Amino acid sequence: MLSNHLQNGIETARLVWSRLPNSDDEALDEVGLSKKSDGSRSESLDYEVIENNAYREEQAQRGKLMVGYYVGVKWFFALLIGIGTGLAAVFINISVENFAGWKFQLTFSIIQKSYVAGFLVYILFNLLLVFSSVYIVTQFAPAAAGSGIPEIKGYLNGVDTHGILLFRTLIGKIFGSIGSVGGGLALGKEGPLVHTGACIASLLGQGGSTKYHLSSRWLQVFKTDRDRRDLVTCGCAAGVAAAFRAPVGGVLFALEEVTSWWRSQLMWRVFFTSAVVAVVVRTAMGWCKSGKCGHFGSGGFIIWDISDGQEDYSFEELLPMAIIGVIGGLLGALFNQLTLYITYWRRNYLHKKGSRVKMIEVCLVSLITSVISFGLPLLRKCSPCPEVELNSSIECPRPPGMYGNYVNFYCGKDKEYNDLATIFFNTQDDAIRNLFSAKTIHEYSAQSLLTFLVMFYSLAVVTFGTAVPAGQFVPGIMIGSTYGRLVGMFVVNFYKKLNIEEGTYALLGAASFLGGSMRMTVSLCVIMVEITNNLKLLPLIMLVLLISKAVGDAFNEGLYEEQARLRGIPLLESRPKYQMRKMTAKEACGNKKVVYFPRVVKVADVVSILQSNEHNGFPVIDHTRNGESLVIGLMLRSHLLVLLQSKVDFQHSPLPSDPRGGGKPIRQVEIKGISIDDIHLSSDDLEMYIDLAPFLNPSPYVVPEDMSLSKVYNLFRQLGLRHILVVPRASRVIGLITRKDLLIEDNENSETVELQSTSVRSL
């Protein structure tokens, strides 16, 4: 009977495997078009307010009540983003902790009888979890692979990568993170949580997912890219706040690392969202303290309290701490370069062979990781337990079935522990807690720490870039805390002082590696202080971060910038290139012919131009009575497509239409996914005309042709633009605006009035 069931299960598995697509080229996107699912297709976003006649008419009709309503809805959405991200983080952490707890409890109970059987169970458990993760990603949500931070950074920079904010990406990120982290791979769940928060914010901003019938009309208030950008920024901060229980660090992370555009009103909403996340997480942890969450305990959410550690430090310790910063910069830059090479090879050679190869690769990495984490501690001799004070909370060794400090693994005597198993055969959060722990001098040998550093560093390099959700925060902390503790051991032996703690150097090592790899300073400093609950070490963390970032910058760029470039995301960095100072705007345009429309254009000409090129913005030219050409505005491709689809504003006359108080606003929700091939026009329609004046942007940003490209770059990036018109130098001046002209006083409260984005209504 059992053999028949086993045979049926094998046949079913073979059938499922044979039906898996062997290529990703035919993956369908949201609108049913055949596209590649590697996220290579990207498009710029429209963050500029289109101040056409319809927009100005609507703004004139809005009173204080309507403006207050929109501001109130934004705050309400910030509340929902905080609650949703906090609940998602709680669900992920509870699931990961329970899967890890069941795995270690089962393995420890089996190895009491047979280490071979325990080894097989440990491998199979990890393999099952990892396979579930890679299956979800490859078959359901390809955009959920990786950390997602480079793509979100690109989105907030003005580049939309296909599929990164869809509902299926959110589901794939949540359940994929549970499988990959619970399966013991050398990666974390913190980066994916940032992506998760951004997905929740984007879905709320667009009113849900229409494809899966999870939408609500009362949520469909903001539909422009400008509004969604603010919401996604709140989601990013909420993700960091939930991952590290660091609300202030989340705000600074969004400000320093992912956003390219910031304002004071957004700061308040981001801060509010992070505070809501902190309340939700705190409430969930308090509810779980009663034992209702299974194996989830104090180790579920990252917080490594070392407030009882080293009280003070001496001047002589600054030199080894500076050395830690140099090591972090070197190892971080090396990590970025190695992952860049391996990811390039994966994307261009290995992953092009299809989903099966991706699944086999991840399963092989899981198998290697399990063999190393279980097998290496078997080769390590156990150490006798240290003498423990009566009032100490340290327990050596841990009882069978428990994991934490002083793990008894393959030891001949009861009062012995395996130091390599304490950090290898453990969850990453608890391993870091062990490395940060105070009052545990000589718990680890230098040989064990060096072995773990080399093996885990190699595993992290190989694992990063596989087809599973993968964060790099926790693996970076693991690597840094290992060599930091190693340096701390030498400092303790050299200075012979009682107040030096190895855990302090482990913390500084973790900060140095993250600074050397990710190149963050302010936000990372605050996050490290918040998760360790020790403000006294703030100057030391600042020191190692500055040194590690400076050393890393001498070799390459940060991890997210390198990965964004590899993915083809055209990020605009904070500073223009040096050679741009010697170039002008006209030189940047080159000799390319400008494609433009007259004010009144024939429908057939619009269709022909849209089919013959892929430009997303077109200047609109009108002629004065003297026959001179005059630029009257900029027309977006998306608005042209909506005009063609609706056919409402078609006219028979080639003359400008009579003023009607402005055109009808264009609905942004109808713009997404429309292609010129989806629009069907009759021969009579093609012979008609459209007056573009009511629908164009009459005040696009314009620069003279001899402006330096560096000034154009700063203007483009800081304002979040998609197009800038380059024109000859103006012949006359009609006025000059100074600071006093901008200080307009009125009866409205300037702190609450915000510039509303283009309205969205049906034509």
Side-chain angles (χ1 to χ4, degrees):
M1 181 71 70
L2 182 60
S3 61
N4 291 337
H5 285 297
L6 182 60
Q7 185 67 26
N8 292 336
I10 295 175
E11 292 298 329
T12 303
R14 286 177 179 173
L15 180 62
V16 172
W17 181 262
S18 64
R19 291 181 178 177
L20 292 181
N22 200 28
S23 174
D24 292 332
D25 295 336
E26 297 300 321
L28 297 180
D29 66 359
E30 282 288 300
V31 294
L33 300 177
S34 178
K35 307 256 181 219
K36 285 191 176 182
S37 60
D38 58 357
S40 59
R41 186 170 70 87
S42 59
E43 183 179 349
S44 296
L45 296 165
D46 293 308
Y47 287 155
E48 183 182 357
V49 176
I50 309 300
E51 296 180 334
N52 52 25
N53 294 349
Y55 169 81
R56 291 175 177 175
E57 179 181 315
E58 182 176 338
Q59 290 296 307
Q61 295 175 355
R62 284 183 177 177
K64 290 185 178 181
L65 184 62
M66 182 60 67
V67 172
Y69 168 75
Y70 275 98
V71 174
V73 170
K74 287 186 176 182
W75 282 96
F76 179 66
F77 274 32
L79 174 66
L80 294 181
I81 292 169
I83 295 174
T85 307
L87 293 177
V90 169
F91 175 73
I92 292 174
N93 278 275
I94 290 177
S95 302
V96 168
E97 285 292 310
N98 276 287
F99 278 123
W102 295 331
K103 175 178 64 179
F104 284 113
Q105 187 178 39
L106 180 61
T107 305
F108 272 114
S109 62
I110 293 177
I111 62 176
Q112 304 300 321
K113 303 176 182 178
S114 171
Y115 274 87
V116 175
F119 176 57
L120 294 176
V121 169
Y122 181 73
I123 289 179
L124 291 175
F125 208 114
N126 284 337
L127 201 59
L128 181 63
L129 289 173
V130 171
F131 180 79
S132 66
S133 175
V134 68
Y135 185 86
I136 290 172
V137 170
T138 55
Q139 305 305 315
F140 181 67
S147 69
I149 293 180
E151 289 82 0
I152 299 302
K153 186 172 183 178
Y155 182 88
L156 296 177
N157 193 257
V159 181
D160 185 14
T161 305
H162 173 67
I164 62 169
L165 296 175
L166 301 179
F167 177 73
R168 62 181 180 186
T169 304
L170 171 64
I171 299 300
K173 211 72 177 183
I174 293 176
F175 290 95
S177 298
I178 294 172
S180 60
V181 178
L185 294 179
L187 44 81
K189 55 184 178 293
E190 289 66 37
L193 265 175
V194 176
H195 194 177
T196 299
C199 288
I200 292 174
S202 177
L203 290 169
L204 281 173
Q206 66 187 20
S209 174
T210 56
K211 180 179 179 180
Y212 298 100
H213 307 289
L214 296 173
S215 59
S216 176
R217 286 193 173 184
W218 69 273
L219 288 175
Q220 295 176 358
V221 180
F222 308 109
K223 306 178 187 67
T224 62
D225 295 331
R226 184 186 182 94
D227 296 321
R228 290 180 67 191
R229 174 187 61 183
D230 293 351
L231 296 175
V232 169
T233 304
C234 293
C236 290
V240 175
F244 295 101
R245 289 173 60 191
V248 180
V251 176
L252 293 176
F253 175 84
L255 173 62
E256 178 184 8
E257 184 62 20
V258 294
T259 58
S260 304
W261 189 85
W262 198 263
R263 69 178 189 274
S264 58
Q265 295 98 331
L266 182 60
M267 169 74 83
W268 280 106
R269 277 198 294 272
V270 170
F271 186 77
F272 173 70
T273 305
S274 299
V276 172
V277 171
V279 172
V280 171
V281 171
R282 189 73 178 179
T283 304
M285 291 196 66
W287 184 73
C288 288
K289 282 184 178 180
S290 59
K292 299 177 181 179
C293 302
H295 290 271
F296 179 83
S298 60
F301 277 92
I302 296 177
I303 186 162
W304 302 293
D305 193 345
I306 59 170
S307 56
D308 59 344
Q310 187 169 333
E311 295 290 338
D312 200 3
Y313 49 89
S314 58
F315 182 78
E316 303 89 43
E317 294 181 69
L318 294 181
L319 178 60
M321 291 175 180
I323 293 175
I324 288 179
V326 174
I327 296 174
L330 294 174
L331 290 181
L334 178 63
F335 182 88
N336 293 357
Q337 205 63 36
L338 291 176
T339 53
L340 182 66
Y341 290 148
I342 295 178
T343 306
Y344 176 83
W345 173 75
R346 276 194 178 107
R347 292 177 64 86
N348 291 279
Y349 299 100
L350 186 63
H351 286 180
K352 284 191 173 182
K353 297 181 180 179
S355 300
R356 295 185 186 180
V357 175
K358 294 180 182 179
M359 300 169 99
I360 293 173
E361 179 201 19
V362 175
C363 291
L364 285 177
V365 171
S366 174
L367 183 63
I368 294 172
T369 304
S370 299
V371 170
I372 290 176
S373 60
F374 193 100
L376 282 182
L378 295 176
L379 305 177
R380 176 68 184 165
K381 292 184 179 180
C382 293
S383 305
C385 288
E387 296 182 1
V388 182
E389 299 178 1
L390 294 178
N391 297 328
S392 176
S393 60
I394 297 176
E395 185 177 3
C396 180
R398 292 279 179 175
M402 297 293 292
Y403 53 96
N405 269 44
Y406 299 106
V407 174
N408 184 289
F409 186 81
Y410 204 63
C411 297
K413 299 180 180 179
D414 292 337
K415 286 296 182 179
E416 288 184 340
Y417 72 97
N418 192 320
D419 60 345
L420 194 56
T422 302
I423 47 179
F424 239 138
F425 200 66
N426 221 329
T427 61
Q428 292 184 17
D429 290 355
D430 283 306
I432 294 172
R433 188 173 289 104
N434 297 342
L435 291 169
F436 282 1
S437 60
K439 308 294 188 288
T440 55
I441 296 179
H442 308 307
E443 178 181 358
Y444 305 100
S445 65
Q447 182 182 2
S448 296
L449 291 177
L450 196 59
T451 302
F452 178 79
L453 174 63
V454 173
M455 298 308 299
F456 193 83
Y457 190 94
S458 303
L459 288 174
V461 169
V462 173
T463 307
F464 188 82
T466 53
V468 292
Q472 206 49 44
F473 277 101
V474 168
I477 294 175
M478 288 276 287
I479 294 169
S481 58
T482 303
Y483 68 73
R485 182 127 188 163
L486 199 57
V487 173
M489 291 174 59
F490 288 109
V491 174
V492 169
N493 293 330
F494 183 80
Y495 288 112
K496 305 293 184 182
K497 290 185 178 180
L498 297 178
N499 63 334
I500 297 179
E501 289 286 353
E502 297 173 1
T504 301
Y505 287 83
L507 168 64
L508 297 179
S512 70
F513 185 83
L514 292 178
S517 175
M518 300 178 184
R519 312 294 159 79
M520 295 186 297
T521 51
V522 179
S523 58
L524 185 58
C525 183
V526 174
I527 289 173
M528 296 304 293
V529 170
E530 286 187 283
I531 64 179
T532 55
N533 195 24
N534 195 332
L535 194 60
K536 297 177 182 177
L537 300 180
L538 178 61
L540 302 180
I541 296 175
M542 296 171 65
L543 173 67
V544 297
L545 280 176
L546 290 172
I547 295 175
S548 62
K549 185 182 187 305
V551 173
D553 285 338
F555 294 95
N556 50 31
E557 290 186 307
L559 177 66
Y560 300 135
E561 288 77 12
E562 296 277 8
Q563 294 296 321
R565 183 177 294 106
L566 182 63
R567 286 165 167 78
I569 302 174
L571 285 180
L572 293 180
E573 299 300 331
S574 58
R575 291 183 300 175
K577 301 294 183 183
Y578 179 78
Q579 55 267 31
M580 289 185 178
R581 301 179 184 179
K582 304 176 182 179
M583 299 176 62
T584 63
K586 183 178 180 180
E587 293 173 351
C589 294
N591 298 322
K592 294 178 293 185
K593 184 179 179 180
V594 179
V595 181
Y596 63 89
F597 287 114
R599 172 179 172 174
V600 182
V601 60
K602 195 174 184 179
V603 173
D605 295 337
V606 175
V607 173
S608 176
I609 291 177
L610 293 181
Q611 288 177 340
S612 60
N613 65 79
E614 296 181 355
H615 298 319
N616 288 286
F618 303 91
V620 179
I621 309 297
D622 198 7
H623 296 282
T624 63
R625 294 179 179 178
N626 299 329
E628 297 179 358
S629 298
L630 181 67
V631 179
I632 63 172
L634 182 74
M635 191 70 189
L636 295 180
R637 181 188 189 94
S638 54
H639 288 187
L640 285 170
L641 292 173
V642 174
L643 288 174
L644 293 177
Q645 187 185 51
S646 65
K647 306 178 185 180
V648 174
D649 286 88
F650 288 4
Q651 63 184 41
H652 294 281
S653 173
L655 300 177
S657 59
D658 295 331
R660 294 173 297 174
K664 300 177 182 179
I666 296 173
R667 183 157 61 167
Q668 182 78 13
V669 70
E670 299 293 341
I671 293 172
K672 299 296 182 181
I674 296 180
S675 171
I676 185 64
D677 299 326
D678 300 329
I679 299 175
H680 304 286
L681 299 171
S682 64
S683 57
D684 294 336
D685 293 333
L686 295 176
E687 295 299 321
M688 299 185 75
Y689 296 86
I690 305 177
D691 184 4
L692 301 180
F695 307 99
L696 53 78
N697 181 6
S699 55
Y701 287 91
V702 179
V703 298
E705 59 182 343
D706 56 350
M707 177 182 282
S708 69
L709 192 58
S710 61
K711 292 181 68 174
V712 177
Y713 183 98
N714 291 327
L715 179 68
F716 197 96
R717 185 183 186 277
Q718 292 175 7
L719 295 178
L721 303 180
R722 187 174 187 178
H723 309 96
I724 289 184
L725 300 184
V726 181
V727 298
R729 182 161 291 279
S731 59
R732 63 191 182 93
V733 178
I734 64 172
L736 185 68
I737 293 179
T738 61
R739 181 181 295 269
K740 67 181 181 64
D741 300 315
L742 302 176
L743 299 176
I744 301 175
E745 296 183 1
D746 53 22
N747 296 326
E748 294 180 342
N749 187 356
S750 60
E751 294 181 356
T752 59
V753 176
E754 299 184 37
L755 184 62
Q756 300 297 326
S757 301
T758 308
S759 176
V760 287
R761 286 206 191 100
S762 175
L763 277 172

